Amino acid sequence: LEYNRFEDAFDSLLKVKIIYKNLAKSKDSLEAAIYEEKIAQVEPLLRLCSYNIQNRTGQDMSSLDVLENEYNKRESLDEKVANSIVGTRKVNLENITTITYQGKAIPLKTPKLKS
């Protein structure tokens, strides 16, 4: 934004917003609230970029939701974020060696218990 590269900034901010939305869907309510707050912080910057792009090029940037959907389809960010979340969960499950239940640590000895 500092160098008046509004198109690049708009693309990056739109990508961030889509990723935050997907992360908020996959988290519990407390973490989702944090991502919703981050989305709220990004939206004024998106509006600023769209306003400047519209003034320079005359391109219709009034509907951010439509632009967000088009960008998401073009970049397939939903799939990328979902695959990343699934991969992270698998790695976390593979690394589990104990479970804590009522304050007692129970070791997981068989692969069947880990899954």
Side-chain angles (χ1 to χ4, degrees):
L1 291 176
E2 293 177 12
Y3 298 107
N4 292 326
R5 294 174 38 204
F6 294 107
E7 292 85 1
D8 295 338
F10 184 81
D11 285 343
S12 297
L13 289 169
L14 200 55
K15 186 176 187 178
V16 166
K17 182 180 177 184
I18 292 168
I19 291 171
Y20 281 162
K21 275 187 175 183
N22 287 323
L23 288 173
K25 289 177 192 175
S26 68
K27 301 292 182 179
D28 63 14
S29 60
L30 180 60
E31 289 182 69
I34 293 169
Y35 284 111
E36 292 297 329
E37 179 63 31
K38 290 182 182 217
I39 292 169
Q41 293 172 356
V42 167
E43 285 179 339
L45 296 171
L46 277 169
R47 285 193 299 272
L48 174 69
C49 289
S50 66
Y51 174 79
N52 283 301
I53 292 169
Q54 191 169 357
N55 281 345
R56 280 188 188 170
T57 63
Q59 184 180 358
D60 183 23
M61 305 283 288
S62 58
S63 177
L64 288 177
D65 291 334
V66 172
L67 294 171
E68 181 181 331
N69 289 335
E70 289 174 3
Y71 187 84
N72 195 14
K73 286 178 186 175
R74 186 175 70 231
E75 297 292 324
S76 65
L77 287 176
D78 284 339
E79 293 174 22
K80 290 178 183 176
V81 171
N83 290 339
S84 176
I85 291 170
V86 168
T88 303
R89 286 183 181 159
K90 283 183 182 178
V91 168
N92 289 342
L93 285 176
E94 290 172 358
N95 293 335
I96 292 177
T97 57
T98 60
I99 294 177
T100 304
Y101 179 71
Q102 294 183 348
K104 296 180 182 179
I106 303 167
L108 299 176
K109 297 178 182 176
T110 63
K112 202 173 200 181
L113 289 173
K114 289 183 182 181
S115 58

